[in-house]
Amino acid sequence: MPFEISACRPEELPALLDLADRVFRSRRSGAMEKEYPLLFHPDNLEQLRVIRAQGRPVSHVGVCLREGVILGCRMGVASIGSVATAPDYRGGGMASALMEDARRHSLERGVSLMLISGGRGLYHRLGYVPAGRFASLVAPAGTAPMTSGQPRPCAAGDILTVVGFHQREPVRYIRSLDDWRRLLNAGNLMNHPADLWIIEDGGVPVGYVATQQPSSGPGPRSPVRAYEFAGARRAVAEALPTLAAHYGAEEIEIVTQPDDAALLAEARRRDWRIGARGFPGTLGIIDGPAFFAALHPYLEERWGRDLGGLELEPLPEGAIFRRAGAEYRLETRGLLTTLVFGGDVETARALPPPPAPVAEALRAAFPMPLLWYGYNYV
Ligand SMILES: CC(C)(COP(=O)(O)OP(=O)(O)OC[C@H]1O[C@@H](n2cnc3c(N)ncnc32)[C@H](O)[C@@H]1OP(=O)(O)O)[C@@H](O)C(=O)NCCC(=O)NCCS
């Protein structure tokens, strides 16, 4: 059944927030509007896609349009969150229709990569996959050496210092200063209340770490999660055990890119647990031509100025790779996204083996790093 889909109107925002709070905050405290200040800001109404019944929003898909940088390649990214249908209206196809609308809406606004903070059948059926690879490092609580890796709470005057460290990271969302202010004011990191720490070495800031506050209450404390950081890896590594101790937790987990050799070396030196983890949701390349155009500098550096003789023909959903008379067709968004970002996922095992000349080129470029949400989680 076709639904009428449109942006949330200003006067409907309270009803939409009420729907989001009833669906996502009925069993825990919090208010979605405060926790997700980029998504539910009045300047983002055009991206809050709704279906109405009896004059009010009953189903919603929230879109946050930003840009991301992956190893120097800048691309439009849509982050999807707060996907909710009022209980009485579930199972009627509303969320599916809104997800398709969100894809078209994002596409028209220059987005090539869509990240969804969930992994339901709803998303899988539409071709999104849990691709992407990250490294998880777990450190025991402890104390930092006297001068380096000392964490202190971030103060209002530190904001440009934090922005500067973030700007130097090779894989990140682009955040305007307004975004930073809203996000830090909200104090929410990937669906949890959070703290931001400046890491100092000899009294000089060299990085930052954002930590989710562990849940309070009886029972053993959950490990602290450092779900965003930037700056000097050694100092960050030295600060982590102190941060775990600060929260009374036994351990702290930090997530980084799998090729963050410097932080991984620190972890190995300290005998920390090192594991692989996936993207916390599903994703898809929704505009192949725009995505590969954005990737051109990266591919040129990996394949040479003539792209190693590899021709790439983006298809509406997948892509065809041709080299030395051999052809490799990936017909679906899921397969293409998995080829590009990798991951220990079912679609990776479903990838057909490429013919040798194509395989050689693909191996030199993919899998490549994927954005981690950090503060941009919605
Ligand atoms: C997930 C959710 C948004 C789906 O909304 P919807 O409008 O019912 O979605 P659709 O009708 O397009 O169909 C998709 C879902 O309906 C389910 N469904 C089918 N028939 C149904 C029925 N009679 N009653 C309830 N659900 C039914 C499907 O199993 C499918 O769920 P899946 O993702 O688990 O495969 C809704 O169930 C919801 O608000 N859930 C709570 C919040 C939530 O989990 N959001 C997603 C965060 S990732």
Side-chain angles (χ1 to χ4, degrees), residues 16 23 40 46 49-50 91 102 104 142 165 211 231 233 241 269 304 306 316 318 325 337:
L16 175 59
V23 170
F40 290 115
E46 196 57 39
R49 315 298 297 169
V50 299
R104 282 191 300 269
F165 290 127
T211 46
R233 269 39 184 177
R269 185 177 301 140
D306 69 344
T337 306

Side-chain angles (χ1 to χ4, degrees), residues 56-366:
R56 60 200 311 270
V58 293
S59 188
H60 168 250
V61 166
V63 185
C64 198
L65 302 176
R66 289 295 183 272
E67 284 184 298
V69 180
I70 303 180
L71 303 180
C73 302
R74 191 166 168 146
M75 62 191 70
V77 177
S79 308
I80 305 290
S82 292
V83 177
T85 300
D88 288 353
Y89 295 89
R90 287 182 189 166
M94 287 185 173
S96 304
L98 280 166
M99 283 299 298
E100 275 299 90
D101 165 82
R103 183 183 58 81
R104 282 191 300 269
H105 181 86
S106 304
L107 209 57
E108 285 163 11
R109 284 157 185 78
V111 166
S112 56
L113 181 63
M114 194 150 130
L115 306 181
I116 306 163
S117 60
R120 311 180 60 101
L122 167 63
Y123 312 127
H124 291 287
R125 277 192 298 280
L126 293 169
Y128 302 100
V129 286
R133 308 156 307 133
F134 296 92
S136 157
L137 318 177
V138 180
T143 48
M146 284 310 288
T147 55
S148 67
Q150 291 293 334
R152 66 162 171 83
C154 177
D158 291 319
I159 191 154
L160 287 180
T161 305
V162 169
V163 170
F165 290 127
H166 180 249
Q167 284 182 313
R168 284 172 178 77
E169 288 296 319
V171 184
R172 63 191 178 88
Y173 278 90
I174 305 269
R175 286 187 200 132
S176 67
L177 188 59
D178 317 72
D179 280 4
W180 269 109
R181 288 203 171 109
R182 284 187 212 165
L183 291 165
L184 296 187
N185 197 31
N188 192 53
L189 175 65
M190 294 180 69
N191 220 22
H192 286 271
D195 298 311
L196 180 59
W197 304 89
I198 298 289
I199 311 300
E200 293 189 335
D201 185 339
V204 177
V206 293
Y208 72 81
V209 173
T211 46
Q212 291 181 341
Q213 295 166 4
S215 52
S216 52
R221 296 210 124 189
S222 52
V224 179
R225 298 202 159 86
Y227 275 174
E228 179 163 327
F229 76 98
R233 269 39 184 177
R234 174 157 303 177
V236 165
E238 281 171 353
L240 291 175
T242 320
L243 289 172
H246 165 84
Y247 292 106
E250 284 175 13
E251 295 184 327
I252 182 164
E253 181 199 16
I254 190 163
V255 172
T256 191
Q257 295 291 339
D259 57 1
D260 187 345
L263 192 61
L264 282 159
E266 298 295 336
R268 279 196 303 274
R269 185 177 301 140
R270 292 167 170 79
D271 235 355
W272 292 351
R273 277 202 324 276
I274 301 177
R277 61 164 295 171
F279 179 73
T282 41
L283 58 136
I285 295 167
I286 61 169
D287 186 339
F291 181 80
F292 284 105
L295 230 53
H296 195 272
Y298 171 81
L299 296 177
E300 199 179 58
E301 285 180 321
R302 297 250 160 187
W303 290 346
R305 215 172 301 146
D306 69 344
L307 299 188
L310 192 114
E311 276 172 39
L312 201 156
E313 183 189 327
L315 299 170
E317 295 250 318
I320 306 173
F321 300 86
R322 293 191 186 89
R323 188 172 185 230
E327 182 176 292
Y328 184 49
R329 283 180 87 91
L330 296 179
E331 300 277 0
T332 68
R333 183 186 305 143
L335 287 173
L336 179 64
T337 306
T338 307
L339 173 87
V340 169
F341 294 113
D344 186 14
V345 293
E346 216 175 288
T347 36
R349 291 177 277 283
L351 273 172
V358 177
E360 192 192 350
L362 293 180
R363 261 199 311 273
F366 305 123

